[in-house]
């Protein structure tokens, strides 16, 4: 290895010349960005920006997801630089994907937070890029959906979650991780009739018209039937995917604020995310990874895999169009 190679084949978060392509630096060292993408605030030429939102002030129980983006980035370094398994293509080589860093916000000014986040995502979308966001608690998805709806109109949402997050809350100024989907429907930015919630296992009689495939049903009908049902509802409608890591069973994702037993396994989630390829994904997020409760790191590992699968889903459709 030449001296020049030695300089460039480390810290590819900063040293990589090209937004595309694998990074073969040691996975155990160097500066960490999501999957060694370039860590940059320059969105020129970027197809998809991965961004972190370290906000956890809206939780009903255990906090800690403010540390989620950092943990997910670190866990992403465990993934192979080769093409992701089961997809037959490498989105990291075919698309310009950057780590856009974290949202800056005043942690003590919660009322000002949603607008700051919406502007952050709008900046990415208006630069012509898609976004995949690393949370943060689930309240963040409302501001992201507002930015998406402002550009694309009302969206389908595919939500993986133990909870529907549709508990009634007509105070639009409240910032709450359990009511954001209620608000999204009331604001008209999500079309519930063309949206699906997967993995639900907490009671909330008002479904608001969402198509729910609850966790017992996932276990009963199996992955392939779940994928068929998701496709049937979403069709080719523009879709935002939000993945609350508590969709997974606490055995697979203990590091989260409101764990509920009876959830999906990592294998089920992987099979379903890969089995719905072809839906029109405009962007997504993985939320509620709480490192202080993640005793083995398994939750952050799952979160990093989910983020990668979201990128694969987004790229699959875009790739088919080009
Ligand atoms: Mn949730």
């Amino acid at each position: 290895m030449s001296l020049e190679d030695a300089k460039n084949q480390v810290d590819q978060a900063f040293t990589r010349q090209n937004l595309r392509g694998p990074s073969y630096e040691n996975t155990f060292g160097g500066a960490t960005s999501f999957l060694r993408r370039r860590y940059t605030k320059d969105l020129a030429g970027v197809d998809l920006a991965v961004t972190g939102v370290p906000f956890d002030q809206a939780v009903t129980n255990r906090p800690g997801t403010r540390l989620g983006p950092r943990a997910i980035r670190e866990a992403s370094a465990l993934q192979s630089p080769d093409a992701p398994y089961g997809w037959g293509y490498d989105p990291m080589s075919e698309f310009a994907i950057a780590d856009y860093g974290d949202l800056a916000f005043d942690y003590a000014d919660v009322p000002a937070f949603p607008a700051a986040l919406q502007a952050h995502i709008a900046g990415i979308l208006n630069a012509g890029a898609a976004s995949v966001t690393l949370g943060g608690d689930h309240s963040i998805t409302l501001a992201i959906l507002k930015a998406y709806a402002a550009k694309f109109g009302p969206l389908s949402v595919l939500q993986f979650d133990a909870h529907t997050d549709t508990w009634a809350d007509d105070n639009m100024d409240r910032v709450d991780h359990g009511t954001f989907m209620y608000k999204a429907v009331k604001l008209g930015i999500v079309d519930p009739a063309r949206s699906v919630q997967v993995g639900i296992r907490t009671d909330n009689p008002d479904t608001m018209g969402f198509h729910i495939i609850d966790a017992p049903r996932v276990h009963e009908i199996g992955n392939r039937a779940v994928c068929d049902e998701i496709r049937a509802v979403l069709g080719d409608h523009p879709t935002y995917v939000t993945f609350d890591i508590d969709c997974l069973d606490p055995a697979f994702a203990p590091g989260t604020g409101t764990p509920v037993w009876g959830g999906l396994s990592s294998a089920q989630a992987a099979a379903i995310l890969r089995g719905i390829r072809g839906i029109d994904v405009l962007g997504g997020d993985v939320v509620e990874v709480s490192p202080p409760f993640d005793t083995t790191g398994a939750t952050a590992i799952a979160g990093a895999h989910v983020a990668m699968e979201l990128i694969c889903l987004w790229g699959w459709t875009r790739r088919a169009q080009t």
Side-chain angles (χ1 to χ4, degrees), residues 194-223:
R194 289 203 274 191
S195 297
V196 186
Q197 297 178 313
V198 181
I200 305 301
R201 53 195 187 279
T202 48
D203 196 37
N204 188 349
D206 185 1
T207 66
M208 300 193 80
F210 281 103
H211 185 94
I212 294 175
I213 310 174
D214 68 12
R217 185 164 160 75
V218 172
H219 296 308
E220 187 182 328
I221 69 176
N223 299 332

Side-chain angles (χ1 to χ4, degrees), residues 117-193:
L117 173 54
Q118 186 178 339
H120 180 82
I121 299 298
I124 293 171
L125 300 180
N126 290 334
S131 72
V132 165
T133 302
L134 315 174
D137 71 47
H138 218 162
S139 72
I140 69 170
T141 304
L142 181 60
I144 298 170
L145 285 171
K146 283 182 182 175
Y148 266 85
K151 190 171 175 73
F152 299 105
L155 297 162
S156 291
V157 169
L158 173 57
Q159 177 183 358
F160 292 86
D161 208 320
H163 320 81
T164 58
D165 299 333
T166 51
W167 282 276
D169 179 5
D170 290 305
N171 180 351
M172 290 293 165
D173 293 329
R174 287 188 70 251
V175 182
D176 187 326
H177 78 153
T179 68
F180 78 93
M181 199 52 88
Y182 176 90
K183 290 176 180 174
V185 174
K186 291 289 178 183
L187 291 168
I189 59 179
V190 165
D191 179 357

